[in-house]
Amino acid sequence: MKPGSHPLDRGRDFGLLVLRVVVGVTYVYYGWTMLIAGSSTWSGVGDAAGIFGLTGGHLYWGFAAGLIEFVGGIALMFGYLARPAALLLFCVMVAATAVKSHGLDFSKGDSVSQVFYPASMAAVMVLIFFSGAGRFSASGRGRKTSSVEPKKDA
């Protein structure tokens, strides 16, 4: 079977749209709640950057994480600059995964489930980064993303 010839390939762009909108809304929600929570939350999120050896700027790093989630979520929803947004969101989610998994002690009953959300979102960002926003996006403007070339009239 040729690439792009499967009947379900026609739904690829619609699937990307649904994924982008649902994940984008999630990022907008979490980013907005972090932004409006204020400096104490930003410092708390930024303090977690200490596991990477960052000793200062915790307020900045916490604010940056919230801003990336909020603006990145909007970019994903509309499919505009989706790849750069996915790359930034991937970085935030890898950091969140590291922070959530740092210091887990299974002998004390710590659960690995808190690591699953940021790790899963990081994987979704990899998918969006490599696949792009798809046809139904502000940057796609209706063009087809199929790898099959259209037939030319002879």
Side-chain angles (χ1 to χ4, degrees):
M1 205 183 266
K2 293 181 189 176
S5 64
H6 193 278
L8 289 178
D9 286 344
R10 293 185 202 139
R12 179 181 303 135
D13 292 312
F14 180 72
L16 281 170
L17 171 67
V18 171
L19 179 72
R20 281 192 353 262
V21 169
V22 170
V23 170
V25 166
T26 304
Y27 276 122
V28 167
Y29 172 76
Y30 283 113
W32 179 250
T33 57
M34 194 182 309
L35 289 175
I36 65 171
S39 59
S40 63
T41 297
W42 304 339
S43 290
V45 171
D47 287 345
I51 70 165
F52 300 109
L54 299 172
T55 57
H58 295 173
L59 186 71
Y60 165 77
W61 289 112
F63 177 77
L67 188 63
I68 289 170
E69 287 186 18
F70 182 73
V71 175
I74 292 170
L76 288 180
M77 286 184 339
F78 290 102
Y80 186 71
L81 298 174
R83 283 187 165 128
L87 181 61
L88 289 172
L89 288 164
F90 171 78
C91 293
V92 170
M93 290 299 105
V94 167
T97 302
V99 167
K100 294 284 187 179
S101 62
H102 184 71
L104 282 179
D105 187 355
F106 299 113
S107 66
K108 293 182 180 175
D110 290 347
S111 173
V112 74
S113 64
Q114 65 183 346
V115 179
F116 290 154
Y117 172 76
S120 298
M121 292 298 262
V124 169
M125 292 305 100
V126 169
L127 177 120
I128 292 173
F129 180 78
F130 284 108
S131 67
R135 180 179 176 190
F136 305 117
S137 65
S139 59
R141 293 182 283 283
R143 70 173 185 262
K144 291 188 177 184
T145 58
S146 173
S147 59
V148 176
E149 294 293 321
K151 292 182 181 180
K152 295 180 178 154
D153 294 330

